[in-house]
């Protein structure tokens, strides 16, 4: 299974529409529930006289994990199909899901949107579709779930499809690239097997649709970019910055620099999973040590890169943003907190240069006085403290950001160009 191509899959949708249940169902159907979990549940089921192993027991287990809290539940669950090795990235419902999705902490290649047949498009359905579009996910598999609750009614199914198509149109999502499947995560209809309950549907099952996804683009040949998450002091080693390599590779002996702190040196050691390695690649979480760098020289939000291709530091930058939710209007001078990779910096929107028609990408209005929820715009931004960013066209991993204010994500955007310090 290791040599199958890898896919990071986001399972998105409104709360309670069945995302976790669908993930559990996928794990179960692809025989990726660990043997000991199945054994344990078989035994429990027999003890309780419930007879035989049931899918519900897998779900109980997931529910328990959820109660235990934070990071586990469906995040980082893995399963493989005939074609791919899938990792479920992050978990909607987690407080920081939206931010993580934007800042790259949970970069997804493709997404499954779960919409409950008895509830239709809801606010989070909208928000997540919006985001997946902004983030460049362009293939969407839509599971119209809980079909059992509407007696597998084709009319109800079609109505939900229409609502979703309407939403896709709003965000200029190519409707031809969305697939719709009537499912019941609970009963297993059209997940692995074509269901007898939906004789009117002759399309793919969810697993078939997952197998048919295009392969993710290969990693770029961009230079090393490693946003720093934390900086530790470890006895015997010294200062150890940690973070995930977004692009490029890091080798011991490399000459690196941290921006915007503007210090650098030679990489002495790299550690991954508590072992020393000579080299690390995109996706690797590493701790490393750089000759001559002390704990107070660098900080979270710095980006490490090669000394001869250093990370860019923005004096100002141009960006395209989409306003997701803002109680009033956004005007020039607005200074919320921008979250980009591991950095959080207050930035001023110096000017709103153009309003963009999201369906064509063309300028709809030059120099508008304000923008509001639902608007897309080109803006010029001035960070109030040095901030390392890259144009999204060059290094997309370092080119997107979330704008947070009043405890919520008010907008998301991509960097068009950087005017360096
Ligand atoms: P999430 O918040 O989107 O992850 O939703 P969950 O997976 O936790 O599901 C919410 C509730 O809906 C739970 O009580 C599930 O048992 C139930 N549920 C999920 N999928 C289905 C389904 O296909 N049919 C029915 N009847 N209930 C479902």
């Amino acid at each position: 299974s290791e040599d199958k191509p890898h896919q990071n899959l986001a399972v998105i949708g409104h709360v309670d529409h069945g995302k976790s249940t669908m993930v559990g169902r996928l794990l179960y159907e692809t025989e990726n529930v660990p043997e000991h979990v199945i054994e344990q549940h078989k035994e429990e089921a027999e003890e309780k006289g419930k007879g035989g192993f049931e899918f519900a027991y897998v779900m109980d287990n997931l529910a328990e994990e959820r109660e235990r809290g934070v990071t586990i539940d469906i995040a980082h669950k893995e399963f493989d199909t005939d074609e791919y090795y899938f990792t479920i990235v992050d978990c909607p419902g987690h407080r920081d899901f939206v931010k993580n999705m934007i800042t790259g902490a949970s970069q997804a290649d493709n997404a499954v949107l779960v919409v409950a047949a008895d509830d239709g498009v809801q606010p989070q359905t909208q928000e997540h579709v919006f985001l997946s579009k902004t983030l460049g996910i362009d293939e969407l598999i839509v599971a119209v779930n809980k079909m059992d609750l509407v007696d597998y009614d084709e009319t109800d199914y079609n109505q939900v499809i229409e609502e979703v198509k309407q939403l896709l149109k709003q965000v200029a999502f190519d409707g031809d690239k969305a697939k719709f499947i009537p499912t019941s995560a609970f009963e297993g209809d059209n997940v692995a097997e074509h269901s007898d309950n939906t004789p009117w549907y002759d399309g793919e099952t969810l697993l078939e649709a997952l197998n048919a996804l295009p392969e993710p683009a290969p990693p770029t040949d961009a230079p090393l970019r490693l946003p720093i998450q934390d900086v530790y002091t470890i006895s015997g080693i010294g200062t150890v910055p940690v973070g995930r390599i977004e692009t490029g590779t890091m080798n011991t002996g490399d000459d690196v620099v941290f921006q915007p702190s503007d210090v650098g040196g030679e990489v002495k050691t790299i550690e991954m999973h508590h072992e020393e390695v000579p080299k690390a690649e995109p996706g690797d979480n590493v701790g490393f040590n750089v000759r001559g760098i002390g704990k107070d020289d660098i900080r979270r939000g710095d980006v490490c890169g090669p000394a001869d291709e250093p990370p860019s530091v923005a004096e100002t930058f141009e960006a395209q943003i989409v306003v997701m939710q803002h109680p009033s209007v956004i005007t020039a001078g607005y200074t919320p907190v921008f979250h980009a990779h591991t950095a959080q910096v207050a930035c001023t929107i110096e000017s709103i240069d153009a309003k963009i028609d999201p369906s064509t990408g063309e300028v709809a209005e030059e120099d508008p006085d304000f923008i509001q929820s639902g608007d897309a715009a080109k803006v010029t931004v001035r960070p109030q403290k040095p901030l390392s960013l890259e144009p999204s066209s060059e290094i997309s991993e370092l080119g997107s950001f979330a704008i947070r204010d009043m405890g919520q994500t008010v907008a998301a955007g991509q960097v068009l160009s950087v005017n360096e310090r």
Side-chain angles (χ1 to χ4, degrees):
S1 71
E2 281 302 321
D3 40 276
K4 290 175 194 169
H6 218 107
Q7 293 258 12
N8 286 329
L9 190 70
V11 179
I12 58 179
H14 196 69
V15 62
D16 278 350
H17 280 201
K19 297 176 296 292
S20 311
T21 309
M22 188 61 86
V23 170
R25 172 59 72 177
L26 283 167
L27 294 176
Y28 179 62
E29 298 289 352
T30 57
E31 297 177 7
N32 281 286
V33 180
E35 194 59 40
H36 71 270
V37 175
I38 294 184
E39 277 308 315
Q40 182 196 334
H41 286 137
K42 260 187 191 159
E43 278 168 27
E44 278 175 25
E46 274 159 23
E47 269 170 32
K48 288 177 187 158
K50 295 206 175 169
F53 171 72
E54 295 210 19
F55 166 70
Y57 287 90
V58 177
M59 292 317 303
D60 285 352
N61 184 259
L62 287 175
E64 246 170 63
E65 286 191 15
R66 172 186 302 219
E67 269 159 32
R68 263 185 277 132
V70 280
T71 48
I72 13 180
D73 65 273
I74 67 171
H76 306 299
K77 293 265 184 276
E78 299 187 340
F79 66 95
D80 62 326
T81 63
D82 292 343
E83 298 293 329
Y84 293 115
Y85 193 82
F86 285 96
T87 303
I88 306 287
V89 293
D90 212 324
C91 170
H94 284 164
R95 224 184 99 259
D96 282 338
F97 170 72
V98 170
K99 195 190 100 188
N100 287 351
M101 213 165 145
I102 298 166
T103 56
S106 50
Q107 205 104 39
D109 300 306
N110 288 292
V112 173
L113 170 67
V114 177
V115 188
D118 63 332
D119 205 21
V121 168
Q122 294 297 326
Q124 285 164 352
T125 321
Q126 219 154 345
E127 183 184 54
H128 292 166
V129 165
F130 209 83
L131 278 172
S132 29
K133 170 64 185 172
T134 315
L135 299 172
I137 290 176
D138 50 22
E139 302 263 343
L140 202 59
I141 298 173
V142 184
V144 179
N145 193 39
K146 303 199 186 184
M147 283 301 297
D148 54 301
L149 292 185
V150 298
D151 295 327
Y152 300 98
D153 187 72
E154 186 180 9
T155 313
D156 285 359
Y157 171 71
N158 284 332
Q159 190 181 328
V160 173
I161 287 191
E162 277 318 306
E163 285 179 25
V164 175
K165 283 188 174 161
Q166 205 51 40
L167 171 63
L168 295 182
K169 218 169 173 182
Q170 268 175 34
V171 300
F173 210 110
D174 183 353
D176 294 341
K177 287 196 173 164
K179 286 179 176 169
F180 296 88
I181 306 173
T183 64
S184 167
F186 210 80
E187 304 292 340
D189 300 286
N190 296 319
V191 177
E193 305 272 339
H194 291 266
S195 171
D196 293 336
N197 293 320
T198 53
W200 42 265
Y201 175 77
D202 62 0
E204 290 170 321
T205 62
L206 181 55
L207 272 178
E208 284 168 348
L210 288 170
N211 273 323
L213 285 170
E215 261 191 59
T220 59
D221 53 4
L224 173 70
R225 291 294 183 264
L226 196 178
I228 304 306
Q229 268 153 20
D230 268 306
V231 183
Y232 297 103
T233 306
I234 295 179
S235 63
I237 305 181
T239 302
V240 177
V242 302
R244 187 182 67 177
I245 298 187
E246 293 295 341
T247 57
T249 56
M250 174 182 269
N251 302 279
T252 50
D254 283 355
D255 240 332
V256 296
V257 63
F258 296 83
Q259 291 294 3
S261 284
D262 201 26
V263 292
E266 184 194 320
V267 177
K268 282 198 297 187
T269 56
I270 307 172
E271 195 176 288
M272 199 162 75
H273 307 305
H274 307 290
E275 272 175 42
E276 250 187 72
V277 293
K279 177 184 179 176
E281 297 178 331
D284 290 346
N285 283 296
V286 297
F288 58 109
N289 176 251
V290 175
R291 200 177 297 277
I293 299 288
K295 187 173 186 341
D296 297 328
D297 296 335
I298 54 176
R299 54 197 52 83
R300 178 184 170 88
D302 272 341
V303 179
C304 179
D308 56 0
E309 283 183 282
S312 311
V313 180
E315 173 84 42
T316 61
F317 62 92
E318 274 85 50
Q320 179 156 333
I321 65 170
V322 186
V323 184
M324 290 162 47
Q325 45 187 349
H326 194 279
S328 56
V329 297
I330 292 175
T331 55
Y334 181 47
T335 308
V337 177
F338 280 51
H339 295 241
H341 52 87
T342 57
Q344 298 183 14
V345 174
C347 298
T348 302
I349 296 183
E350 271 198 338
S351 58
I352 302 171
D353 307 318
K355 210 191 264 192
I356 306 294
D357 177 349
S359 61
T360 61
E362 277 164 22
V363 172
E365 185 186 343
E366 303 270 6
D367 302 316
D369 291 334
F370 64 87
I371 47 176
Q372 57 194 350
S373 295
D375 285 343
K378 281 190 175 143
V379 296
T380 303
V381 183
R382 182 177 295 273
Q384 296 298 309
K385 280 195 316 189
L387 171 62
S388 180
L389 280 174
E390 309 289 348
S392 155
S393 60
E394 285 168 29
I395 308 183
S396 64
E397 290 82 352
L398 275 288
S400 48
F401 55 84
I403 301 177
R404 306 254 304 167
D405 192 13
M406 301 164 290
Q408 60 182 11
T409 303
V410 299
Q414 285 176 316
V415 178
L416 299 173
S417 61
V418 174
N419 310 305
E420 293 202 52
R421 209 165 40 154

